[in-house]
Amino acid sequence: MNDSPGWAVPGPSPSDGERPGAPDGRDGTEGTEGGTPAPAGGPKWSAEQPPPGEWSSPGTPQAQKAPQQQPSQPGAGWGSYGGPQGTQGAQGRYGHPGGPGQWGKPPAAKPGVIPLRPLDLGEILDGAVATMRTHWRTVLPITLVVATVIQVISVLVQRYTYADLAVVSDPGSQDSLKDVLDALGGSMVAVLANAFVQLLGTIVATAMLTMIFSRAVLGHGSSIGEAWRDARPQLLRLLGLTLLTALGGVVIILVLLLPGILLGSVGIAIVGGLAALPLLIWLALKFSLASPALMLEKSNVLTSLRRSSRLVQGSWWRIFGITALTGLITTFVAAIIVWPLTAAGFAIGIADGGMESLQNGTAATGWAPLILSAVGAVIAQTITMPIQSGVTVLLYVDQRIRREALDLELARAAGLENYGPDAAAPPTGG
């Protein structure tokens, strides 16, 4: 598998001998991002393609055609969206003065939830929400089942581990040190098991949602069974990717804290911890597109990490801004749902146990507060999980459109004919 595989859903992954990420006959070297395309061939493409810079709908008189542009220079053409930074001077790749993201953009083909051109923030968020709204029969059951399983296990773990800890920590308790350590050990095992179940549930949901969003981009629907069949072969690799990135974060924190620990200096340890935070954020964004790259390109863990690094390069701040805004929106939505139910449960716990429940902590660990809090969490996760997964997938698609002209490949996969980057409007058929 090479470093620039093509769109793998739907359809098989590309062979190593082909240039992935672009239609046949296009030079897709990622470093130059240039080259003039050869006439596209294969199914869904017209036998005669217009020359670069010229497009006319079928039946348009020759005199009304736009004047032909000069031959493309290095760094421009079908295989690029501008230079290394994603721009192409005053004239954007889509014939829009000033480039993409500004008013007056020409319409682009939209076979699915997004237009096939570089996306702005609103289009990415709208695409995520539109997929939830259009394919809710598939999206919401997946997230609802996963969130319910996670919260049921979480409620049981909290109820019984917290109860054991409350007993052994009671000042009047005659438990020995061995009993206290056994209770702490059992609670730690239960918490770790709960965290692992949450990890597995999140991975399964993320993998299936990625497949659903990839099909929604092409205007195709997905059943739960289809999403599971598409996602299942990559689940172990996605688990490996998640564990590897988590382990890498832990190692970075330990390395930066180690000097302070060895020297016994709290100040040095604090400085190391503060230095770890921006580094972890930078690495998290650098590899944030590894998950959709792994799922959609059918690649391995290391290849997906390299792909994410290349796609994010030069666009780190943009991806950071979109990701951070998405996190703020989903956190706000979750808080609106969870906090009222949590407060109601807490009030019920106080009403049942009185002021004594505040002192021993049972006001928050009784059945009523735990169940109400879990119900709120299930509703919140059912809504926010698809948004977060969708934004990540659409960011991946957007970066590949900007860097590798993936819109041409998507248009061909969606069955659009005579589609090219210089078209002023979506083709009308013929």
Side-chain angles (χ1 to χ4, degrees):
M1 181 71 68
N2 48 31
D3 283 345
S4 300
W7 192 254
V9 178
S13 58
S15 63
D16 290 338
E18 298 175 352
R19 187 297 184 194
D24 296 338
R26 269 197 299 131
D27 180 13
T29 304
E30 191 165 346
T32 60
E33 296 188 63
T36 303
K44 307 295 185 182
W45 286 87
S46 171
E48 295 183 7
Q49 296 295 319
E54 184 176 341
W55 176 272
S56 62
S57 301
T60 302
Q62 186 71 20
Q64 297 180 4
K65 293 182 180 180
Q68 183 172 345
Q69 298 177 354
Q70 296 298 322
S72 59
Q73 301 298 323
W78 287 54
S80 69
Y81 183 70
Q85 301 301 321
T87 59
Q88 195 172 350
Q91 183 73 15
R93 172 176 161 225
Y94 286 77
H96 166 59
Q102 302 187 24
W103 64 272
K105 287 184 293 188
K110 189 178 181 182
V113 294
I114 59 170
L116 298 185
R117 54 167 165 73
L119 307 174
D120 56 30
L121 170 62
E123 290 167 339
I124 290 175
L125 293 175
D126 180 70
V129 175
T131 303
M132 287 181 56
R133 185 173 61 249
T134 305
H135 306 285
W136 64 270
R137 290 182 179 85
T138 305
V139 172
L140 295 186
I142 292 173
T143 54
L144 178 61
V145 169
V146 170
T148 300
V149 171
I150 289 175
Q151 291 304 319
V152 167
I153 296 176
S154 179
V155 166
L156 295 176
V157 168
Q158 292 180 70
R159 180 70 178 91
Y160 292 108
T161 58
Y162 289 168
D164 292 341
L165 291 177
V167 169
V168 299
S169 61
D170 186 355
S173 175
Q174 301 299 318
D175 293 323
S176 64
L177 178 62
K178 182 178 182 299
D179 294 332
V180 174
L181 293 177
D182 288 342
L184 290 175
S187 300
M188 184 62 66
V189 170
V191 169
L192 291 176
N194 179 42
F196 187 70
V197 170
Q198 292 188 24
L199 175 65
L200 291 181
T202 303
I203 287 175
V204 170
T206 300
M208 296 178 69
L209 290 174
T210 299
M211 296 305 175
I212 294 171
F213 275 94
S214 70
R215 290 181 177 271
V217 168
L218 302 176
H220 300 165
S222 297
S223 66
I224 295 177
E226 290 173 338
W228 170 250
R229 285 193 296 271
D230 289 338
R232 183 174 56 187
Q234 293 293 97
L235 285 178
L236 287 179
R237 289 181 175 180
L238 185 58
L239 175 62
L241 172 66
T242 305
L243 293 178
L244 180 61
T245 52
L247 179 61
V250 172
V251 170
I252 290 174
I253 293 175
L254 291 178
V255 168
L256 293 177
L257 291 179
L258 189 59
I261 296 175
L262 294 178
L263 297 175
S265 173
V266 177
I268 296 178
I270 292 176
V271 171
L274 294 177
L277 181 61
L279 180 58
L280 290 176
I281 293 176
W282 179 74
L283 289 174
L285 267 295
K286 183 179 180 66
F287 300 124
S288 61
L289 304 184
S291 173
L294 182 141
M295 296 301 302
L296 298 178
E297 299 176 6
K298 309 298 183 185
S299 59
N300 57 42
V301 173
L302 296 180
T303 301
S304 66
L305 290 173
R306 289 195 298 267
R307 285 285 290 153
S308 177
S309 177
R310 288 190 177 187
L311 291 173
V312 172
Q313 185 178 8
S315 301
W316 190 95
W317 283 107
R318 177 176 178 273
I319 295 175
F320 170 77
I322 295 175
T323 304
L325 181 60
T326 303
L328 289 175
I329 292 173
T330 54
T331 300
F332 180 73
V333 171
I336 291 177
I337 299 172
V338 173
W339 286 356
L341 291 174
T342 301
F346 191 69
I348 294 174
I350 295 177
D352 290 341
M355 297 305 296
E356 183 180 351
S357 63
L358 290 175
Q359 298 175 355
N360 56 27
T362 56
T365 58
W367 284 114
L370 287 177
I371 290 176
L372 285 177
S373 178
V375 169
V378 167
I379 298 174
Q381 289 179 355
T382 301
I383 297 173
T384 60
M385 194 182 300
I387 296 177
Q388 293 173 323
S389 297
V391 167
T392 301
V393 173
L394 295 181
L395 274 173
Y396 163 83
V397 173
D398 175 59
Q399 287 301 110
R400 288 199 60 185
I401 288 176
R402 292 170 182 269
R403 292 180 176 273
E404 303 170 2
L406 181 66
D407 53 319
L408 303 180
E409 185 75 11
L410 294 177
R412 187 166 66 173
L416 302 180
E417 297 183 357
N418 298 333
Y419 182 83
D422 298 306
T428 57

